C-alpha cells in the first residue's frame, strides 16, 4: 500500500479507521507525508496539525500513529480501508509526546531515541542533521506541554524545539499544535524554508472538516450496543439515527460538542425532547448552559462548580478538596450545591484513580480530612476545551487563582507541608504563579523540601529573576540536582540545607534542622566562597596553652585574601608581592568560622592525621568526579553520598567525621552523622 493522495471520491466501499471513523481527507494527507521520500517536491516535509480545542486533533493523530506502528498495524483491517489513507509499512517514527514535559525534555527524548551524543541543544539539532537514517518525528499534545499550566511551555516548545526542528532539512515533522501557535510556527518558517515545505491542516476548515464523521460518532454514542442506556430515542433505530444527525448538524466541526451533547441527554434524559433541535448545543459553552437549564439549575452555578477544575494543575483536584475550592472561587459556601449537583456536573467530568503517594507513605501521614494516599480519587474536566470555556467566563482569572491559593494554604495542617495533601504541596506554586503571588510564597523551607521539584522548579523559572528572593534563587540553583536524583523529602532537605549555608542563608538551614523533623545525614558547619581551591586537608594546630585546634587547610591561588604562601614566614612575605598563580593556603577552624590568631596561621605547625589514624577512623571516604561517598568501615554501608552540579576539586575526611569538600565555587565542611544514608551536594 502507498500513501498517495489520489483516492476515490466515493469512500462508501471502504471500512473506516476503527479509532477515527472518518477524517479521510486528513488521513490521506498524513499518509502522503509518511510515504514521500525526503525532499519530494510535491509533498510537504512539515505538517502542522491544528484546529480549535475539541476539534479532534489528538484523536486523529492517535489513529494515524496506529497506522505507523508495526505491531498496531497488524490489529487494523488494512485491506478493507481506503488505500490512500494507509501509509506504507516503515519503521515507526520518533514520537516525543509533549504532555507534561518541558521543551528541553521533549528535545532530549528525541536525542535519546536517536542515541545522539549531544551535550547541548544546539548539538542535538546538528547531530540530527548529520544522521544517515531518515529523521521522522511526530510531536503530539503540544498544547499540554509543561508541568505548570500557566508557565507558557507550549509556546516555548514551538519556538525552541519545533521551529528549529522543522527548519532542519533532513527532518520530516508532524506536530499537533493549537491554532494560535500553529500560525506562529508557520509564519516563523516562511522565511527559512522553501515554499511548499509546510502544510497546515486545520480541522475546522471546510477542506478538512468531517461532518459525516460527526454524525456517525453521534449515532454510535446513542447506540445501546455501544453502552448507551435504553431510552425511547436510543432503542428505536429511526429515532436514534435522526437524533444523531441532528446532534452532528448542530455541532458544526467539533467532535467534543457531539460528545458533550450525547453525554448530557443520556445522563439526564428527563425533559429532553429529541424533536427540538434547539435543545442541542452548537458550542461547548452552549452545552454547559443548555444542560443546566434543562435540569432547572442556574448555568452560573454549574460554571462555579467547574471553575476550580478549569484552573487545576496536573491530573486534577482531589475530590475532597473540590467543594472547598469551588466555595473559594464563588465567595460563598458551595457545599450543598456540590452535594446535589453531581448529575448537573457529571457530563463534563472524569474521575481518575491516583496511585499511592510515595512521600506520604514515607512520612506515614494521611492527607487532608484523613484521606490516605493509597486510595486517592481525582476529578478533572472531560476535555481542556471545557476549561477554556469556564476560564473565559471568569471575570478575573488572577482573583480566582488568589482565592484558590488562599484556600489551599488554609488546607495545610498547622502549616506543616509534610502533612499537606500532595496536590496542595506539589501544585500550589502553579496557582500562585497565575495569581501573581508566587514570590511571596517562596520563603518557607518546608515547601521547598516537601513539594515535588518538577512543577515547583517550572513555576519559579516562569518568574523574572529580579522578582525572586534569595531563598528562591538558592532553590532554583539546587533544583537540577533535586530532579536529577529524583530525591525524596529527606534527600531534598539535605541538598537544600547545604545550599542555603553555601549561599549565606544559615537561618534557612537552621529551619530545616529545627522545624521539619527530618534526620539529615549531616549538618553543614561552614562554607567559604573562595574560588580556585585545588586541595584540602584536615589536621590539627597545636596550642601552647590548651588542646590542639582541628583545622582545614585549603590550597588556594596566592592572591586570595588572607592566604599565606606555602613555606614563607611573615617576615619573608612582608617585603614582596606574591607571584601571580603561586600556591598559598587558607587555614580554617574545622568546626566553625571563628577566627584563628595570627600566630596560629603558620601552615608548618599543622599536624596531619597519620595513615594509622585514618585507618582506625569509623568512617571512610571514596570519591568520583561529581560524587563522594562516606561509608561505615564496620559494616561497609554508605552513610552519606554527596552529588554536585559542578565537579569536586578536592575532599578530605577527619577521623571524627567532618568532611571538607571543594568545588569551583569554594569549600565547605559537613559534620557527617553515622547510620544515615542520603545524597546531597
Amino acid at each position: 500500500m502507498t500513501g498517495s493522495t489520489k483516492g476515490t471520491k466515493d469512500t462508501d466501499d471502504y471500512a473506516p479507521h476503527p479509532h477515527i471513523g472518518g477524517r479521510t481527507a486528513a488521513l490521506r494527507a498524513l499518509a502522503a507525508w509518511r510515504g514521500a521520500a525526503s525532499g519530494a517536491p510535491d509533498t510537504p516535509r512539515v505538517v502542522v496539525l491544528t484546529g480549535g480545542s475539541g476539534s479532534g486533533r489528538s484523536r486523529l493523530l492517535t489513529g494515524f500513529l496506529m497506522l505507523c506502528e508495526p505491531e498496531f498495524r497488524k490489529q487494523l483491517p488494512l485491506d478493507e480501508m481506503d488505500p490512500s489513507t494507509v501509509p506504507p509499512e516503515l519503521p515507526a517514527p520518533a514520537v516525543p509526546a509533549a504532555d507534561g514535559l518541558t521543551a528541553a525534555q521533549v528535545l532530549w527524548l528525541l536525542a535519546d531515541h536517536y542515541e545522539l551524543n549531544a551535550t547541548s541543544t544546539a548539538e542535538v539539532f546538528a547531530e540530527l542533521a548529520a544522521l544517515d537514517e531518515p529523521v521522522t518525528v511526530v510531536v503530539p499534545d503540544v498544547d499540554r506541554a509543561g508541568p505548570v499550566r500557566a508557565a507558557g511551555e507550549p509556546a516555548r516548545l514551538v519556538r525552541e524545539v519545533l521551529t528549529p526542528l522543522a527548519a532542519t532539512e533532513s527532518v520530516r515533522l508532524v506536530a499537533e499544535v493549537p491554532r494560535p501557535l500553529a500560525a506562529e510556527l508557520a509564519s516563523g518558517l516562511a522565511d527559512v524554508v522553501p515554499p511548499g515545505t509546510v502544510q497546515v491542516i486545520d480541522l475546522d476548515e471546510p477542506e478538512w472538516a468531517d461532518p459525516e464523521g460527526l454524525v456517525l460518532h453521534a449515532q454510535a454514542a446513542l447506540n445501546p450496543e455501544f453502552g448507551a442506556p435504553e431510552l425511547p430515542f436510543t432503542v428505536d433505530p429511526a429515532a436514534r439515527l435522526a437524533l444523531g444527525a441532528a446532534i452532528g448538524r448542530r455541532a458544526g466541526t467539533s467532535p467534543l460538542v457531539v460528545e458533550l451533547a450525547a453525554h448530557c441527554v443520556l445522563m439526564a434524559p428527563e425533559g429532553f425532547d429529541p424533536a427540538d433541535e434547539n435543545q442541542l448545543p452548537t458550542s461547548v459553552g452552549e452545552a454547559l448552559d443548555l444542560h443546566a437549564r434543562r435540569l432547572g439549575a442556574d448555568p452560573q452555578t454549574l460554571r462555579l462548580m467547574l471553575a476550580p477544575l478549569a484552573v487545576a494543575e496536573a491530573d486534577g483536584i482531589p475530590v475532597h478538596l473540590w467543594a472547598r475550592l469551588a466555595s473559594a472561587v464563588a465567595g460563598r459556601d458551595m457545599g450543598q450545591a456540590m452535594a446535589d449537583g453531581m448529575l448537573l456536573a457529571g457530563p463534563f467530568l472524569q474521575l481518575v484513580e491516583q496511585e499511592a503517594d510515595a512521600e506520604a507513605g514515607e512520612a506515614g501521614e494521611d492527607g487532608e480530612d484523613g484521606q490516605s494516599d493509597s486510595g486517592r480519587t481525582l476529578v478533572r474536566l472531560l476535555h481542556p476545551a471545557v476549561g477554556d470555556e469556564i476560564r473565559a467566563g471568569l471575570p478575573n482569572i488572577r482573583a480566582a487563582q488568589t482565592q484558590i491559593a488562599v484556600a489551599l494554604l488554609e488546607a495545610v495542617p498547622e502549616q506543616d507541608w509534610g502533612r499537606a495533601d500532595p496536590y496542595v504541596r506539589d501544585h500550589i506554586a502553579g496557582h500562585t504563579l497565575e495569581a501573581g503571588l508566587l514570590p511571596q510564597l517562596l520563603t518557607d523551607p518546608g515547601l521547598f523540601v516537601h513539594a515535588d521539584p518538577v512543577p515547583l522548579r517550572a513555576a519559579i523559572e516562569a518568574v523574572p529573576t529580579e522578582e525572586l528572593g534569595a531563598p528562591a534563587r538558592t532553590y532554583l540553583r539546587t533544583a537540577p540536582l533535586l530532579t536529577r536524583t529524583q530525591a525524596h523529602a529527606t534527600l531534598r532537605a539535605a541538598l537544600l540545607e547545604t545550599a542555603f549555608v553555601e549561599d549565606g542563608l544559615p537561618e534557612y538551614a537552621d529551619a530545616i534542622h529545627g522545624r521539619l523533623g527530618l534526620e539529615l545525614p549531616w549538618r553543614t558547619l561552614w562554607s567559604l566562597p573562595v574560588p580556585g581551591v585545588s586541595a584540602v586537608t584536615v589536621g590539627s594546630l597545636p596550642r601552647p596553652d590548651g588542646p590542639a585546634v582541628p583545622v582545614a587547610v585549603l590550597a588556594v591561588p596566592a592572591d586570595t585574601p588572607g592566604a599565606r604562601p606555602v613555606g614563607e614566614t611573615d617576615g619573608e612575605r612582608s617585603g614582596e608581592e606574591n607571584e601571580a598563580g603561586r600556591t598559598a593556603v587558607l587555614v580554617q577552624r574545622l568546626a566553625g568560622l571563628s577566627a584563628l590568631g595570627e600566630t596560629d596561621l603558620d601552615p608548618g605547625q599543622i599536624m596531619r592525621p597519620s595513615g594509622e589514624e585514618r585507618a582506625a577512623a569509623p568512617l571512610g571516604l571514596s570519591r568520583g568526579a561529581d560524587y563522594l561517598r562516606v561509608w561505615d568501615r564496620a559494616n561497609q554501608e554508605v552513610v552519606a553520598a554527596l552529588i554536585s552540579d559542578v565537579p569536586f576539586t578536592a575532599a578530605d575526611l577527619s577521623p571524627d567525621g567532618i568532611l571538607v569538600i571543594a568545588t569551583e565555587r569554594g569549600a565547605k565542611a559537613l559534620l557527617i552523622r553515622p547510620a544515615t544514608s542520603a545524597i546531597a551536594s
Side-chain angles (χ1 to χ4, degrees):
M1 295 184 179
T2 67
S4 169
T5 59
K6 298 178 181 179
T8 60
K9 294 183 180 179
D10 184 3
T11 61
D12 292 341
D13 294 335
Y14 295 115
H17 189 298
H19 180 74
I20 302 173
R23 296 291 189 193
T24 300
L27 272 179
R28 284 175 179 162
L30 291 171
W33 167 87
R34 180 68 175 129
S38 180
D42 58 343
T43 304
R45 179 173 59 79
V46 176
V47 174
V48 181
L49 180 62
T50 191
S53 186
S55 61
R57 303 185 312 248
S58 297
R59 188 178 186 89
L60 169 61
L61 197 56
T62 299
F64 172 65
L65 288 173
M66 289 178 177
L67 294 166
C68 296
E69 211 287 321
E71 290 303 314
F72 244 114
R73 285 172 65 98
K74 298 175 183 178
Q75 304 173 36
L76 298 175
L78 301 185
D79 292 337
E80 302 173 18
M81 294 172 61
D82 183 343
S84 66
T85 66
V86 180
E89 188 167 4
L90 295 168
V95 187
D99 190 3
L101 300 183
T102 65
Q105 287 174 316
V106 172
L107 185 61
W108 288 112
L109 280 179
L110 192 58
D112 290 343
H113 177 86
Y114 284 103
E115 299 180 343
L116 306 181
N117 294 319
T119 58
S120 68
T121 56
E123 289 181 7
V124 172
F125 295 117
E127 291 198 25
L128 285 173
L131 288 177
D132 294 331
E133 60 183 300
V135 180
T136 307
V137 182
V138 177
V139 183
D141 299 325
V142 170
D143 59 325
R144 302 189 186 193
V148 175
R149 193 179 54 79
E153 202 65 35
R156 189 174 295 112
L157 177 60
V158 166
R159 294 163 191 161
E160 298 178 6
V161 176
L162 297 184
T163 298
L165 200 61
T168 303
E169 188 175 351
S170 61
V171 173
R172 301 188 63 79
L173 174 68
V174 168
E176 180 216 333
V177 183
R179 185 179 286 122
L181 292 177
E184 178 180 331
L185 177 59
S187 62
L189 292 170
D191 296 331
V192 297
V193 298
T197 299
V198 181
Q199 179 181 32
V200 177
I201 298 178
D202 188 328
L203 296 182
D204 292 323
E205 293 296 325
E207 180 183 2
W208 308 106
D210 186 22
E212 295 85 1
L214 291 185
V215 171
L216 293 175
H217 280 307
Q219 292 170 344
L222 298 171
N223 196 330
E225 292 184 8
F226 301 129
E230 293 187 356
L231 299 166
F233 51 81
T234 63
V235 296
D236 182 341
R240 182 175 68 242
L241 294 177
L243 179 56
I247 289 175
R249 279 196 304 273
R250 295 281 290 177
T253 61
S254 175
L256 177 61
V257 174
V258 168
E259 186 177 359
L260 292 177
H263 279 192
C264 289
V265 300
L266 296 178
M267 189 170 292
E270 295 79 7
F272 174 68
D273 181 2
D276 183 3
E277 285 199 17
N278 289 326
Q279 293 191 33
L280 300 175
T282 60
S283 66
V284 172
E286 198 170 13
L288 290 162
D289 297 342
L290 286 174
H291 182 67
R293 293 192 184 102
R294 191 159 52 82
L295 269 61
D298 181 1
Q300 185 62 16
T301 298
L302 173 58
R303 289 171 177 263
L304 287 173
M305 291 173 64
L306 300 181
L309 309 179
V311 297
E313 297 289 334
D315 292 327
I317 289 174
V319 168
H320 68 275
L321 286 176
W322 183 17
R324 177 198 289 259
L325 300 184
S327 298
V329 175
R332 56 184 171 87
D333 186 0
M334 293 284 290
Q336 193 58 50
M338 302 286 289
D340 298 338
M342 288 305 97
L343 194 62
L344 177 63
F348 308 97
L349 303 180
Q350 281 184 333
L351 296 180
V352 180
E353 295 302 321
Q354 188 182 55
E355 296 181 1
D357 183 84
E359 297 236 338
E362 176 192 328
E365 296 283 354
D366 289 344
E368 169 82 355
D369 299 335
Q371 295 263 339
S372 170
D373 289 320
S374 61
R376 294 173 57 79
T377 300
L378 306 180
V379 60
R380 67 184 180 191
L381 295 176
L382 182 68
H383 192 278
V386 180
D388 295 341
E389 172 64 27
I390 298 294
R391 286 194 299 274
L394 289 173
N396 189 321
I397 289 287
R398 176 170 283 203
Q401 287 284 36
T402 298
Q403 293 157 340
I404 286 176
V406 170
L408 292 175
L409 280 172
E410 292 173 347
V412 180
E414 299 176 352
Q415 293 305 296
D416 181 352
W417 290 100
R419 297 166 53 202
D421 182 277
Y423 182 87
V424 178
R425 70 165 190 245
D426 294 339
H427 299 297
I428 190 171
H431 291 282
T432 54
L433 173 66
E434 195 163 20
L437 301 174
L438 182 55
Q440 292 93 305
L441 183 69
L442 301 175
T443 58
D444 190 335
L447 176 64
F448 291 144
V449 166
H450 288 290
D452 182 342
V454 173
L456 181 54
R457 175 188 179 184
I460 297 175
E461 287 179 337
V463 178
T465 304
E466 61 272 14
E467 296 181 16
L468 297 176
R473 292 195 295 271
T474 294
Y475 183 89
L476 207 53
R477 177 175 72 79
T478 313
L481 279 180
L482 304 182
T483 54
R484 169 186 165 190
T485 59
Q486 298 183 337
H488 53 72
T490 302
L491 239 57
R492 294 197 290 265
L495 284 158
L496 289 165
E497 184 267 1
T498 193
F500 283 133
V501 175
E502 191 172 333
D503 288 354
L505 300 169
E507 65 275 18
Y508 282 85
D510 291 342
I512 289 176
H513 284 290
R515 285 175 33 204
L516 304 188
L518 299 173
E519 286 294 326
L520 303 192
W522 61 76
R523 177 182 287 271
T524 304
L525 301 176
W526 50 262
S527 176
L528 288 176
V530 180
V533 180
S534 58
V536 299
T537 56
V538 298
S540 59
L541 188 64
R543 304 295 293 269
D545 54 354
V549 179
V551 296
V553 182
L554 315 179
V556 295
D559 57 355
T560 301
R564 171 180 292 274
V566 175
E568 290 185 9
T569 67
D570 284 345
E572 291 173 325
R573 188 181 59 161
S574 61
E576 59 182 5
E577 293 288 328
N578 295 320
E579 284 181 34
R582 286 189 61 181
T583 302
V585 296
L586 284 175
V587 181
Q588 170 67 44
R589 284 183 184 269
L590 198 54
L593 284 174
S594 57
L596 291 165
E598 180 68 20
T599 58
D600 297 327
L601 296 180
D602 184 357
Q605 299 178 15
I606 296 173
M607 301 172 59
R608 271 67 169 181
S610 66
E612 291 78 7
E613 289 176 311
R614 291 184 182 275
L619 300 177
L621 174 65
S622 57
R623 173 185 163 192
D626 61 354
Y627 72 90
L628 296 169
R629 292 191 177 96
V630 179
W631 41 275
D632 190 319
R633 293 184 187 274
N635 55 26
Q636 300 298 304
E637 291 184 0
V638 174
V639 299
L642 290 76
I643 293 179
S644 176
D645 57 344
V646 292
F648 292 110
T649 56
D652 199 9
L653 180 66
S654 74
D656 55 352
I658 296 179
L659 176 65
V660 183
I661 57 176
T663 68
E664 64 184 30
R665 286 196 289 263
K668 56 187 175 181
L670 287 69
L671 174 61
I672 303 298
R673 293 178 175 173
T676 305
S677 294
I679 297 178
S681 168

